[in-house]
Amino acid sequence: MSRPALPQAPLTCAGQTLPYWLVRSPRRRTIGLKVDERGLTVFAPASLPVAHLETLIQTRAAWIRTKWTECCQKSALRIAPREGALLPYLGRAVRLSLDSGPTRLEGEVLYLNPGRDDIPGTLRRWYQAQALPFFLPRVAQYAERLGVPLPAVALSNARRRWGSCHARGMIRLNWRLLKASPAEMDYVIAHEVTHLRHMNHGPEFRKTLQHLYPDHAEAHRTLRERGFLYQAF
Ligand SMILES: [Zn+2]
């Protein structure tokens, strides 16, 4: 017979808050922790003091936080874009509205006409069509600031990489960066443009990037945290 999971007050682990359930069982000798989409479930012996449980949870806080982040990311990736969905675009949220007219962005509403195609595919093509015209002037601006010739720029469709710079001087930028904030986008662009000078991540590279884009550390951090949101389609 399975014991009921009793909801506890939400738990904060390494700075992240998640739902917390407790299952006590008289036959249980050890403590078990499970993290899934419901939150953290703790399986514990019936008589174990709460303070003991809380100490154990805090010693595993980093593991719990990592697992919970993975669960949230996986469930976010499963959400299919549909009528009324909020889509990330240049770091803000635009509402998706299916429409029989031409696909266009008006204010904070993206009117999308998928015709006979599927919605994610139509969305991808729309983002891809906007991406290069948006990226090019920014690449040009950073290249000029660094004093290097304007590189060739192409779009990439990589799942995890935001950008790359090839030895012959071509830069590839992930079209999904169009979903990111301008600060995050500029960080990737400045990083790749810096590679036109230094093809490694050594001290000279870091010094040049710091000069070219002083806020790179903060933008890198937010891109690492929010990047999964931009990978949903
Ligand atoms: Zn790099």
Side-chain angles (χ1 to χ4, degrees), residues 161 163-165 187-188 191-192 194-195 198-201 205:
R161 262 188 123 167
S164 59
C165 180
Y187 154 70
V188 176
H191 180 114
E192 301 310 337
T194 304
H195 277 316
H198 310 287
M199 278 312 282
N200 51 45
H201 294 129
F205 170 90

Side-chain angles (χ1 to χ4, degrees), residues 5 9 21 23 29 50 76 79 83 93 100 104 111 122 125 145-146 151 153 177 216 231:
W21 307 82
V23 184
R29 295 281 161 84
V50 169
I79 298 168
E83 174 71 36
S100 56
R104 68 217 181 266
Y111 295 95
T122 312
R125 283 192 294 281
R145 238 185 262 174
L146 190 61
V153 183
L177 272 177
H216 64 95
Q231 289 166 344

Side-chain angles (χ1 to χ4, degrees), residues 166-226:
H166 298 259
R168 279 188 224 132
M170 180 200 250
I171 284 178
R172 283 184 183 275
L173 297 168
N174 196 317
W175 63 266
R176 292 184 180 85
L177 272 177
L178 200 67
K179 301 177 189 178
S181 70
E184 291 161 334
M185 191 189 296
D186 280 353
Y187 154 70
V188 176
I189 292 173
H191 180 114
E192 301 310 337
V193 167
T194 304
H195 277 316
L196 295 170
R197 272 274 173 80
H198 310 287
M199 278 312 282
N200 51 45
H201 294 129
E204 287 302 311
F205 170 90
R206 293 201 297 274
K207 210 168 101 187
T208 308
L209 178 59
Q210 175 67 31
H211 184 70
L212 197 59
Y213 193 69
D215 291 335
H216 64 95
E218 171 69 9
H220 189 190
R221 192 179 61 74
T222 61
L223 185 60
R224 259 204 317 253
E225 282 176 4
R226 300 170 47 86

Side-chain angles (χ1 to χ4, degrees), residues 2 23-24 27 29 34 66 116 135 200 210 232:
S2 69
V23 184
R24 285 193 183 269
R27 271 178 303 168
R29 295 281 161 84
K34 185 176 89 175
T66 305
R116 291 185 180 178
F135 296 158
N200 51 45
Q210 175 67 31

